[in-house]
Amino acid sequence: MSTPDSSSRRQLLKRIALAASAAALASTSLRAADQPLISVDEPEAKAVKYVEDGSKVKEAMGNRCDTCSLYQGKDGSKQGGCQLFKGKGVTAAGWCTAWAPQM
Ligand code: SF4
């Protein structure tokens, strides 16, 4: 059985955890927007056949970075981070062979 003190302590801890998560998420989004775009000529981009415009690649079948579960850009953004490329961004319209659907 919980006492009023333990209940309010739990609530406080939940709020602190939520605030920390929100701050981390906001920080990640800001960093992703500031990242330079990866070049299609870089080895890690070539390894997954990354292109800046997936609409020009039949293999993409209409999929794009902004519909990929590894994309870190905000909704409606023109570019954002990708979990594959640390410190580099990708275009929202881009695509690569590692594309995975969002859940
Ligand atoms: Fe784009 Fe997803 Fe490939 Fe990253 S993993 S480059 S977000 S398609």
Side-chain angles (χ1 to χ4, degrees):
M1 189 166 165
S2 67
T3 64
D5 275 350
S6 66
S7 176
S8 62
R9 191 175 309 138
R10 262 198 308 271
Q11 290 293 328
L12 178 62
L13 289 173
K14 280 183 187 174
R15 286 187 189 145
I16 290 171
L18 270 174
S21 298
L25 200 60
S27 172
T28 299
S29 295
L30 282 176
R31 275 183 271 134
D34 293 340
Q35 293 170 342
L37 289 173
I38 191 164
S39 164
V40 295
D41 296 325
E42 292 185 48
E44 61 266 47
K46 281 184 173 179
V48 290
K49 299 180 181 177
Y50 170 72
V51 294
E52 292 180 342
D53 185 354
S55 69
K56 295 179 178 170
V57 180
K58 191 175 179 182
E59 193 179 354
M61 297 187 296
N63 296 314
R64 305 163 36 111
C65 289
D66 60 2
T67 62
C68 175
S69 62
L70 302 178
Y71 185 66
Q72 298 174 315
K74 290 182 179 178
D75 284 347
S77 60
K78 292 190 175 181
Q79 73 180 66
C82 168
Q83 293 177 41
L84 288 184
F85 310 128
K86 284 205 178 216
K88 298 282 175 81
V90 295
T91 61
W95 175 85
C96 83
T97 57
W99 182 90
Q102 296 173 342
M103 298 290 169

